[in-house]
Amino acid sequence: MRAAATDPPARSMLKRLFDRQLLRISPADRLPSADAGEKDDAEPSSVCLDGMVRSFMEDGVGGGDKAGHGGRYCNCFHGGDNSDDEEDDEAAAASDVAETIKGLVHCATLRERNLLADVCAHLERHRAAGARRRDLLRLVASSLRAAGHDAAVCVSRWDKSPSHPAGEHAYIDVLLPAASDRGACERVLVDADFRSAFEVARPTKAYRALLQRLPPVFVGKDDRLRLLVAAAAAAARASLRKRGLHLPPWRKPEYMRAKWLSPYEREAPPADAAAGEEKDDGEGPGTGTGTAA
């Protein structure tokens, strides 16, 4: 009797979540109405209710989290198939993330745009000659130095954590001179293969379209990179969950951020290049270290 006394309030709350979820299903797709004796058969399963609660909580947080989680909704009334409404929700969420990424992919300043043009030209030339991976980065950095830029290959390293493994990543940084007398030099990051870092297994159609919006070559400051990585990593997570796949540790946002925002070592230029630079500025070669902001 005690259980019966406490059951109605709990069922009432779950019923509200159930009714709210059912509104997402078009009338044509809903189950035929049951008579009074069969209402209990239409109660959602525990797995379904878990999905409803998650959906309810995510919708309450705001559109940003909804986009980041790909709009997960219960679909137990469709035998595991995706409803038209769910597809619409996923498309809307992907559109929001795509708009966010669209505002972040373009270079922020004219100097960044000019640097991007130079980097792409050097990449094309050295790739055509057969250069790959770390050697390609060193050749591009050397070409940028020959054009008057303070450029070098940087190698970031990070330790293992409970959520992701240890690793390292190589990219180029360019120290642009201060734009004004009172300003400081600007550190611009250059990644020659940025888009491929976000490729995932069995991507959804929405994620494939979003991936094409990412620049194949990134040139920009770390603040813009941080926002771009956050948006792209959230979209990758939603795509994997949509396919029922586990999010691998090397695609988690914190791992992706670590690639460009971890402590790094700045490689010294080769001895012959350093000798030429030493004649110009009177400074010898050295290996710099730094911590990304």
Side-chain angles (χ1 to χ4, degrees), residues 188-208:
V188 175
L189 309 183
V190 177
D191 195 284
D193 201 16
F194 184 76
R195 181 187 294 165
S196 67
F198 296 92
E199 293 177 351
V200 298
R202 294 175 55 198
T204 61
K205 180 179 179 181
Y207 187 71
R208 285 197 300 268

Side-chain angles (χ1 to χ4, degrees), residues 33-241:
S33 58
D35 57 34
E38 296 176 342
K39 282 185 177 180
D40 288 343
D41 294 337
E43 291 293 337
S45 66
S46 60
V47 175
C48 175
L49 287 174
D50 179 69
M52 291 180 190
V53 173
R54 289 177 180 273
S55 175
F56 177 79
M57 293 176 65
E58 289 167 4
D59 287 353
V61 173
D65 279 358
K66 181 178 178 183
H69 290 79
R72 300 193 304 275
Y73 302 116
C74 170
N75 56 8
C76 59
F77 293 107
H78 296 268
D81 294 334
N82 297 324
S83 68
D84 292 339
D85 285 345
E86 184 179 354
E87 294 292 342
D88 292 342
D89 289 330
E90 183 203 2
S95 178
D96 291 342
V97 177
E99 286 301 313
T100 299
I101 289 177
K102 182 179 179 180
L104 294 170
V105 295
H106 300 295
C107 293
T109 65
L110 177 61
R111 295 201 298 177
E112 287 183 7
R113 289 195 293 272
N114 291 337
L115 179 59
L116 174 61
D118 290 342
V119 168
C120 289
H122 295 317
L123 281 171
E124 183 178 1
R125 178 164 58 89
H126 293 305
R127 278 175 175 158
R132 295 292 183 269
R133 299 183 182 275
R134 195 72 61 89
D135 288 340
L136 174 63
L137 295 181
R138 292 190 177 106
L139 288 171
V140 172
S142 177
S143 296
L144 291 173
R145 287 194 299 271
H149 293 290
D150 183 358
V153 174
C154 295
V155 180
S156 61
R157 294 182 176 87
W158 57 94
D159 297 329
K160 179 180 178 180
S161 78
S163 61
H164 61 76
E168 69 173 45
H169 183 68
Y171 58 94
I172 297 172
D173 76 350
V174 179
L175 303 181
L176 297 178
S180 63
D181 294 339
R182 296 184 178 182
C185 68
E186 296 181 0
R187 182 174 184 256
V188 175
L189 309 183
V190 177
D191 195 284
D193 201 16
F194 184 76
R195 181 187 294 165
S196 67
F198 296 92
E199 293 177 351
V200 298
R202 294 175 55 198
T204 61
K205 180 179 179 181
Y207 187 71
R208 285 197 300 268
L210 186 144
L211 193 64
Q212 293 305 309
R213 288 181 175 268
L214 293 178
V217 178
F218 176 85
V219 173
K221 297 174 65 175
D222 58 358
D223 54 352
R224 184 163 61 91
L225 177 66
R226 188 188 303 271
L227 296 174
L228 191 57
V229 168
R237 180 197 297 267
S239 176
L240 288 166
R241 287 184 175 177

Side-chain angles (χ1 to χ4, degrees), residues 270-285:
D272 53 348
E277 293 173 3
E278 184 176 2
K279 294 179 181 179
D280 293 336
D281 55 26
E283 296 181 359

